[in-house]
Amino acid sequence: MLFRRKKKEAAAAEPPVQPVRGSEIEIVRERCREMVRKRALVSAGVAAVPLPGVDILSDLTTFTVLVEEVNREFGLSQQQIERLHPRMRVLAYQAAASVGGMLVGKLVTKTLVLQLFKRAGIRIAAKTVTKVVPIAGQVASAAIGFALFRKMGYQHVDACAKVARELQKIQVTDAGTAQVPV
């Protein structure tokens, strides 16, 4: 794939077993937002190519990989959530549903990402149509592609951060009630 980490890097940066907590949430959020910006630049570069359809296919693949990596960074990938205590697992999925994190904690497939892209259909159509106009259209297509990819990526990063905060609140509440003598 385009953006898979090398095995050495992946081994050095083991994904967390538990969802991230505390000040670590903001650190991971900023790191993921930087990842989104870099991928949005790649998306813009591909969108500037005057071949219709190439940009959509590239965006679909790139965004799928990005979502998987962001989920993993926050400790919210499907595999990581499945390793949690059953009660925490249910709470993680409930928190994802409550904040509208459509892609948080799920096995991300191109079909699922395509559904998300369909919601942004007008912008994608505008990006495709602008390619017909030489040079100016390609620049406009690249700008639309960058903005759209970045917006969708930021929304997913923010959803993951909200889920991590919700899980932290639940864990703090549980820890506080567990210490009270009965």
Side-chain angles (χ1 to χ4, degrees):
M1 293 308 262
L2 285 173
F3 298 105
R4 296 280 181 190
R5 287 187 176 148
K6 294 179 183 175
K7 290 185 181 182
K8 289 180 185 176
E9 291 177 32
E14 283 295 316
V17 175
Q18 294 285 325
V20 294
R21 300 180 196 168
S23 61
E24 198 177 334
I25 293 172
E26 280 305 310
I27 294 167
V28 171
R29 180 178 173 270
E30 282 307 311
R31 189 170 57 229
C32 289
R33 286 175 64 92
E34 178 63 29
M35 215 182 334
V36 168
R37 284 189 291 274
K38 287 178 182 176
R39 306 288 167 83
L41 283 172
V42 170
S43 173
V46 173
V49 176
L51 298 173
V54 171
D55 57 336
I56 294 172
L57 182 61
S58 172
D59 284 353
L60 193 62
T61 303
T62 305
F63 198 74
T64 301
V65 172
L66 175 72
V67 167
E68 289 172 356
E69 288 180 2
V70 169
N71 284 348
R72 199 173 315 113
E73 287 288 322
F74 277 97
L76 296 171
S77 71
Q78 183 184 24
Q79 297 87 5
Q80 290 165 316
I81 290 177
E82 291 300 320
R83 289 187 300 207
L84 293 174
H85 184 274
R87 183 166 181 264
M88 281 302 294
R89 187 179 322 143
V90 169
L91 294 173
Y93 285 126
Q94 286 175 344
S98 72
V99 300
M102 184 174 145
L103 301 173
V104 178
K106 296 190 176 154
L107 179 63
V108 182
T109 63
K110 288 184 183 179
T111 308
L112 189 59
V113 173
L114 190 58
Q115 289 175 351
L116 186 66
F117 277 24
K118 284 180 182 177
R119 291 183 179 177
I122 294 171
R123 291 185 190 121
I124 291 174
K127 181 173 87 164
T128 303
V129 169
T130 57
K131 285 187 173 203
V132 177
V133 180
I135 301 174
Q138 293 167 349
V139 170
S141 179
I144 292 168
F146 177 82
L148 181 63
F149 195 97
R150 187 181 66 180
K151 180 182 177 191
M152 290 172 45
Y154 280 0
Q155 285 174 345
H156 180 66
V157 169
D158 290 341
C160 285
K162 285 179 185 175
V163 169
R165 285 186 197 105
E166 287 297 315
L167 287 174
Q168 181 180 352
K169 285 180 194 174
I170 292 166
Q171 288 174 342
V172 167
T173 304
D174 284 352
T177 57
Q179 294 174 352
V180 176
V182 179

